[in-house]
Amino acid sequence: MELIIERTKPGRRGYSLPKQDVPLYRLPENQRRQTHAPLPEVSEPEIMRHFVNLSTMNHHVDKNFYPLGSCTMKYNPKINEELVRLSGFTKLHPLGSTATAQGAMQLMYELGDYLKAIVNLDGITLQPAAGAQGEFTAISMFKAYYNKKKETRRSILVPDSAHGTNPASVNFSGFRPLTLPSNEKGLVDIEKLTELMTPEVAGLMLTNPNTLGLFEKNIMQITDIVHDKGGLVYLDGANLNALLGITRPGDMGFDAVHFNLHKTFSTPHGGGGPGSGPVAVTKMLAPFLPAPVIAKKDETYYFDFDLPDSIGKVQTFYGNFLVMVKAYTFFRIVGHEGLRQISKSAILNANYIIQSLKDHYYLPFPGYCMHEGVLSGRKLKERGLRTLDVAKRLLDYGLHAPTVYFPLIVSEALMIEPTDSESKETLDAFIETMIKILEEARENPEVLKNAPQSTPVRRLDEIKAIKELKIRWKT
Ligand SMILES: *Cc1c(COP(=O)(O)O)cnc(C)c1O
């Protein structure tokens, strides 16, 4: 039989599919454009090249190593992207009834169960759209808990090494942040904690491992001190990549924890989004969870709004649902044993880098770290150079810079988080480059001062960009 291929006639803007009559999308005749919009004509190869070139002007995990500390820029499986594009997920209407969204409800319910098991806590909300919003949600629940008990507590302790979102969330939730100083080892100063934990303090927000990558060895004593004074303890779970399958915050005495699904559980999140910051809490705090919570009865999933003590909704509709799909997929790929392996590899990788670089740079808090470590570039000052110059020079070698100048308690901080997914070859290449940059600093410091040379834009005045924000490039 002869095969006849009918050739589609090229339209004004290239080949188009045969026209289908879809009455729903038809605008009334008098509202339709009479002439074509003056759009530039470009061919498929041209447009592909344009977008591929644009995509390589920025750094991303698919391009090279991304050791940004406190961010867990890890392996983002490509199957995640396929699954979030399934029409059953993308075409869910946020106002549709839960009867037509049972699959999505089941996914969220089971994701909640996995997360609760990881931290050994009892209640969960998936609503918050970021770690910071998770913090706000949990600390607002602390507030509701004390209001219910008719206790007036005014402040929350926050270590001086904490992420900036911690004191901000405390403020937003109607408390005052009280700074808890770290001791000479970079850990919670137990004496200071005992002294500051008065009956007017509502509790403690802690990151563990902390932002120096150090595990709070006295964690049981710390949570006991706070609980003995009637306080509550919150875990900033951004560093959960160090704990998976090894230990559980619920066993350490934490009352609430947020997850950063976009960090620990594989969603690309450079440039500020999208995120998801579920919060898990103890049985005692569960009545204060944002309404609704996802519940299940006789194999049917539903939204339970019957929470009289709830702090109320914190996010529209389901929260950032597709980030949840990615986290769920990730769990199903790696399984329980895989999670444990992730944390062990993350810890090993971080120590490999820090131990290899500590004599070249400076390690302010000696000893082993967890999934990230903090070096200091203070020795560079002798040559009139700073940590920022190292960070910028790394860009010339096609690498992303580590986090710099955070945590604030380390001068000239270089916070490195290699994550679990990098090979020894990648780590070695980074270590070699970091050592090479020090050689350049000795022999030709100008190279560092003038870096980066190879990026589409050079050193930017970030402060000016914030203060004089111009979002239009044409006037
Ligand atoms: C990233 C991070 C946060 C905030 O999380 P977002 O999802 O960016 O809002 C809070 N604490 C620590 C330690 C973090 O690294």
Side-chain angles (χ1 to χ4, degrees):
M1 208 174 76
E2 200 188 346
L3 181 68
I4 299 169
I5 304 179
E6 222 177 282
R7 187 163 174 260
T8 312
K9 289 209 175 53
R12 192 172 170 272
R13 262 170 263 125
Y15 290 84
S16 54
L17 292 172
K19 274 217 174 63
Q20 278 174 357
D21 207 16
V22 190
L24 205 64
Y25 301 136
R26 283 210 142 182
L27 280 175
E29 197 70 47
N30 65 355
Q31 288 175 22
R32 279 191 243 163
R33 169 190 270 292
Q34 300 304 312
T35 53
H36 283 291
L39 297 172
E41 298 281 335
V42 280
S43 67
E44 183 179 298
E46 282 171 321
I47 200 79
M48 284 310 293
R49 284 172 197 158
H50 173 70
F51 284 115
V52 169
N53 281 330
L54 278 186
S55 79
T56 59
M57 288 172 105
N58 218 337
H59 197 89
H60 45 85
V61 282
D62 290 337
K63 201 167 151 184
N64 207 341
F65 189 46
Y66 206 134
L68 200 65
S70 201
C71 288
T72 315
M73 307 298 290
K74 71 195 292 176
Y75 169 51
N76 299 141
K78 293 300 164 266
I79 191 174
N80 283 359
E81 304 303 320
E82 272 177 51
L83 295 190
V84 295
R85 282 172 175 77
L86 292 178
S87 63
F89 294 136
T90 54
K91 291 197 175 150
L92 272 180
H93 195 285
L95 290 171
S97 82
T98 53
T100 60
Q102 283 294 301
M105 301 282 288
Q106 180 180 355
L107 185 146
M108 291 192 285
Y109 188 86
E110 289 178 7
L111 175 64
D113 276 354
Y114 295 159
L115 295 172
K116 285 190 285 186
I118 284 172
V119 294
N120 193 25
L121 287 170
D122 302 299
I124 193 152
T125 175
L126 304 179
Q127 283 181 32
Q133 201 188 10
E135 294 168 19
F136 165 73
T137 302
I139 303 300
S140 299
M141 289 169 69
F142 284 12
K143 187 101 190 165
Y145 165 83
Y146 288 114
N147 284 349
K148 176 96 182 169
K149 284 180 61 172
K150 302 205 172 0
E151 273 181 41
T152 315
R153 295 188 180 233
R154 296 184 201 288
S155 38
I156 299 234
L157 291 165
V158 182
D160 53 8
S161 57
H163 193 270
T165 51
N166 289 193
S169 304
V170 167
N171 264 316
F172 267 92
S173 313
F175 290 106
R176 261 188 303 118
L178 247 186
T179 303
L180 177 63
S182 308
N183 64 18
E184 70 292 343
K185 293 194 173 118
L187 299 170
V188 164
D189 185 328
I190 299 284
E191 255 174 53
K192 276 271 180 239
L193 172 67
T194 314
E195 187 186 310
L196 292 172
M197 189 57 223
T198 60
E200 76 95 25
V201 174
L204 167 68
M205 270 184 112
L206 197 65
T207 313
N208 194 22
N210 67 18
T211 60
L212 296 163
L214 305 176
F215 189 80
E216 294 286 352
K217 295 184 185 68
N218 297 319
I219 188 61
M220 301 306 286
Q221 194 188 354
I222 292 169
T223 53
D224 278 350
I225 291 169
V226 178
H227 288 151
D228 282 350
K229 296 278 174 64
L232 297 168
V233 199
Y234 178 76
L235 175 68
D236 174 332
N239 289 344
L240 217 56
N241 217 41
L243 308 180
L244 304 172
I246 297 176
T247 181
R248 302 178 299 183
D251 300 341
M252 301 177 206
F254 285 101
D255 298 282
V257 53
H258 84 249
F259 304 80
N260 301 67
L261 296 190
H262 46 292
K263 293 183 183 172
T264 319
F265 303 116
S266 80
T267 285
H269 58 280
S276 177
V279 171
V281 295
T282 55
K283 215 175 240 118
M284 184 180 83
L285 289 175
F288 304 99
L289 282 168
V293 292
I294 299 160
K296 182 182 176 186
K297 195 179 177 194
D298 304 331
E299 296 309 307
T300 303
Y301 300 91
Y302 65 103
F303 284 129
D304 185 1
F305 283 91
D306 188 20
L307 291 169
D309 291 325
S310 164
I311 58 163
K313 219 165 176 347
V314 297
Q315 186 62 223
T316 49
F317 303 113
Y318 304 84
N320 251 341
F321 175 64
L322 295 179
V323 180
M324 298 172 206
V325 176
K326 289 179 184 175
Y328 183 84
T329 308
F330 191 70
F331 282 132
R332 298 300 297 263
I333 293 171
V334 300
H336 181 75
E337 253 318 296
L339 288 178
R340 192 183 166 80
Q341 194 53 46
I342 281 171
S343 286
K344 285 166 121 183
S345 304
I347 294 167
L348 186 62
N349 284 357
N351 279 290
Y352 182 64
I353 290 186
I354 299 297
Q355 292 300 315
S356 305
L357 289 177
K358 70 171 189 205
D359 296 333
H360 298 275
Y361 287 80
Y362 174 76
L363 182 60
F365 296 101
Y368 292 113
C369 62
M370 296 288 284
H371 68 305
E372 66 189 358
V374 180
L375 295 168
S376 164
R378 68 182 67 166
K379 290 201 281 189
L380 289 159
K381 280 193 169 159
E382 299 159 12
R383 295 172 205 283
L385 293 167
R386 307 186 61 201
T387 282
L388 185 70
D389 302 311
V390 176
K392 296 295 181 194
R393 186 61 180 148
L394 273 168
L395 307 183
D396 279 336
Y397 288 103
L399 294 164
H400 197 280
T403 296
V404 291
Y405 302 106
F406 177 75
L408 304 177
I409 56 173
V410 171
S411 74
E412 298 296 316
L414 272 161
M415 182 194 216
I416 301 166
E417 180 180 6
T419 80
D420 43 282
S421 40
E422 298 297 346
S423 66
K424 181 166 178 296
E425 288 73 16
T426 303
L427 304 184
D428 283 335
F430 173 71
I431 292 164
E432 267 172 40
T433 309
M434 287 291 282
I435 295 171
K436 189 165 175 201
I437 290 174
L438 278 189
E439 281 162 18
E440 290 178 335
R442 273 191 294 274
E443 287 155 19
N444 188 5
E446 288 306 306
V447 174
L448 267 72
K449 277 190 190 148
N450 293 324
Q453 306 264 6
S454 64
T455 49
V457 287
R458 303 282 302 279
R459 222 177 261 213
L460 301 176
D461 186 343
E462 287 157 22
I463 306 290
K464 188 175 158 82
I466 293 168
K467 283 190 173 163
E468 293 170 36
L469 186 66
K470 281 197 192 117
I471 48 177
R472 288 169 66 126
W473 63 282
K474 272 183 178 173
T475 43

